[in-house]
Amino acid sequence: MIHEKKRTFNEFAASKGLRSTRQRDIILDVFLSTHQHVSVEELYLKVKASNPGVGQATVYRTLKLFVEAGLAREVLLHDGQTRFEHVMAGEHHDHLVCTGCNAIIEFENETIEKLQDEIATRHGFKIRSHKLEIYGLCASCKG
Amino acid sequence: MIHEKKRTFNEFAASKGLRSTRQRDIILDVFLSTHQHVSVEELYLKVKASNPGVGQATVYRTLKLFVEAGLAREVLLHDGQTRFEHVMAGEHHDHLVCTGCNAIIEFENETIEKLQDEIATRHGFKIRSHKLEIYGLCASCKG
DNA sequence: CTTGCTGCAAACAGTTTGCAGAACT
DNA sequence: AGTTCTGCAAACTGTTTGCAGCAAG
C-alpha cells in the first residue's frame, strides 16, 4: 500500500507536469514511514538525519503537494504547529486527544459518520471531509 | 444572558484575584456583542473603533482570560488565525464549514454527543471538550 | 502605597517567498 | 536548452513577552 501511495503521487505529479526529484522521493518515503500526526519540523529532522542538505522550505513545499495529491491531510491541534496525517483510501478516523500527555487515540465510528451525512444533507451541504476531535484526559492522566 | 456572562467573568476574576479594568470591560462587551468566530484582529479593530488606545496585546491577554473563565473557546479553522467563539452554558454546537465561501453553519446533534461519550468511556477517557467540523460546499457554492 | 494591568515595541515561532544556482526532462 | 526545483536567508504573519508607566484596590 505504500507502493500504491507512491503511484498515486507519481500520477498526480505527472498530471500536473511536476518533476520527480530526489528530495520529493525522500520526503515521501519518510512521510510514509512515519506514524500519525507529524509536524513539518519532525519530518524535516528525520529527513535531514538520513539526508542532510535538504531544506525545510522544501519539506513545507512538498507536504503541500502531498495534501493536494490527496495523500496527506492537515490536522490543527492546539500545539501551535500544523500537523499532517496520512489519508488512507476510503478510511477515516477521528481523534481522542489527551490534554494531559498529548497522546492521541484514534477511533472510527460508522454511526457518527452517517449522522454527519444526514446533517449535511439537511443543510444542502456537500461534504468533502470532516474532523472530529475529543479533548480530555486519557486513562492514565485522569488519575 | 449577557448579564450572566459578565457575572461569570466577574466571579472568575474575583476568585483569581484579578482586577477589574476598563479595558477588560470594553473587550468583554465587544466580545459579547459579536457574532461567532471572531479573530483577535477583528475584535481588536472593533474595540479600537470605539476606544482607540487599547492595545492588541491586551486583547490577546484578555481573550485568554475569557477562555480560562469558560466564556470563550478557541476554534482552529484553516485560515491561519485562531478564532474565538462564545461558550453557551451547557450548549454545544458543531460546524459545517463551507470551503467555497467560508460560511459557517452551526448545528447540534444529541446522538453524536452521546456516541462520543460512549467512545470515550470505552477508551477510559474523560472528555473535557470536543470539536466537530465538517468541511465541504454549502448549498449555494456546490452549484 | 503596593501590585497587577496596559501599551508599546521588540522578540518569537511557524510558515512563506525571492532568488541564484542545481537538477530534471 | 528550457524549466522546474532546491537551499538559503530574508520576509511575513500571528502571537507572546519585557518593561516602564498607569491604575485599581
Side-chain angles (χ1 to χ4, degrees):
Chain A
M1 85 181 177
I2 280 180
H3 244 88
E4 195 193 313
K5 289 213 172 182
K6 289 195 185 179
R7 213 198 52 227
T8 302
F9 183 65
N10 288 340
E11 281 167 10
F12 169 80
S15 77
K16 290 272 183 179
L18 300 176
R19 287 181 180 170
S20 149
T21 69
R22 204 177 53 86
Q23 287 84 334
R24 285 177 184 169
D25 286 349
I26 294 169
I27 296 171
L28 182 53
D29 278 347
V30 175
F31 177 66
L32 294 180
S33 78
T34 227
H35 296 306
Q36 299 302 310
H37 318 110
V38 226
S39 67
V40 173
E41 182 67 14
E42 287 165 4
L43 203 56
Y44 169 58
L45 291 177
K46 282 199 183 188
V47 166
K48 214 172 53 170
S50 63
N51 224 289
V54 173
Q56 250 184 312
T58 302
V59 177
Y60 274 99
R61 291 188 272 231
T62 306
L63 275 174
K64 279 197 161 182
L65 290 180
F66 292 170
V67 172
E68 267 189 81
L71 297 177
R73 182 189 299 124
E74 290 191 357
V75 186
L76 301 177
L77 303 179
H78 284 263
D79 68 344
Q81 290 191 290
T82 301
R83 292 176 169 276
F84 293 84
E85 68 175 13
H86 295 217
V87 175
M88 314 293 186
E91 174 260 0
H92 179 81
H93 54 260
D94 294 305
H95 304 137
L96 285 161
V97 182
C98 177
T99 54
C101 63
N102 287 312
I104 295 175
I105 303 169
E106 295 175 348
F107 67 89
E108 260 182 280
N109 187 295
E110 182 72 19
T111 314
I112 289 181
E113 311 269 321
K114 264 191 204 125
L115 286 167
Q116 290 181 15
D117 286 344
E118 272 175 40
I119 291 163
T121 305
R122 200 177 310 149
H123 287 87
F125 203 90
K126 160 118 186 158
I127 294 189
R128 199 133 77 187
S129 68
H130 76 264
K131 183 170 68 174
L132 169 56
E133 277 150 26
I134 301 178
Y135 298 92
L137 295 173
C138 71
S140 40
C141 287
K142 76 181 173 190
Chain B
M1 82 182 177
I2 281 180
H3 245 87
E4 195 194 314
K5 289 213 171 180
K6 289 194 182 178
R7 214 199 51 226
T8 303
F9 184 64
N10 289 338
E11 281 167 9
F12 170 79
S15 77
K16 290 271 184 181
L18 300 176
R19 287 180 183 171
S20 150
T21 68
R22 205 176 54 87
Q23 287 84 335
R24 285 177 185 168
D25 287 349
I26 295 169
I27 296 171
L28 181 53
D29 278 348
V30 175
F31 177 66
L32 294 180
S33 78
T34 226
H35 296 304
Q36 299 303 311
H37 316 111
V38 227
S39 67
V40 174
E41 183 66 14
E42 287 163 5
L43 204 54
Y44 170 58
L45 291 177
K46 284 200 182 188
V47 167
K48 214 173 51 170
S50 63
N51 223 290
V54 173
Q56 246 183 317
T58 301
V59 178
Y60 274 100
R61 290 188 273 230
T62 305
L63 275 173
K64 279 198 163 181
L65 290 180
F66 293 170
V67 171
E68 267 188 81
L71 297 177
R73 184 189 297 122
E74 291 191 355
V75 186
L76 301 178
L77 304 178
H78 285 263
D79 67 346
Q81 291 190 289
T82 301
R83 291 176 170 275
F84 293 84
E85 68 174 10
H86 295 217
V87 174
M88 314 294 185
E91 174 261 1
H92 179 82
H93 54 258
D94 293 305
H95 304 136
L96 286 160
V97 183
C98 176
T99 54
C101 62
N102 286 313
I104 294 175
I105 303 168
E106 295 176 349
F107 68 89
E108 259 182 281
N109 188 293
E110 183 72 18
T111 315
I112 290 182
E113 310 269 321
K114 266 193 203 123
L115 286 167
Q116 290 181 16
D117 287 344
E118 270 175 42
I119 290 162
T121 305
R122 200 178 308 147
H123 286 86
F125 203 89
K126 160 120 186 157
I127 294 189
R128 199 134 74 186
S129 68
H130 77 264
K131 184 171 66 178
L132 169 56
E133 276 150 26
I134 301 179
Y135 298 92
L137 296 173
C138 71
S140 40
C141 286
K142 76 183 177 191

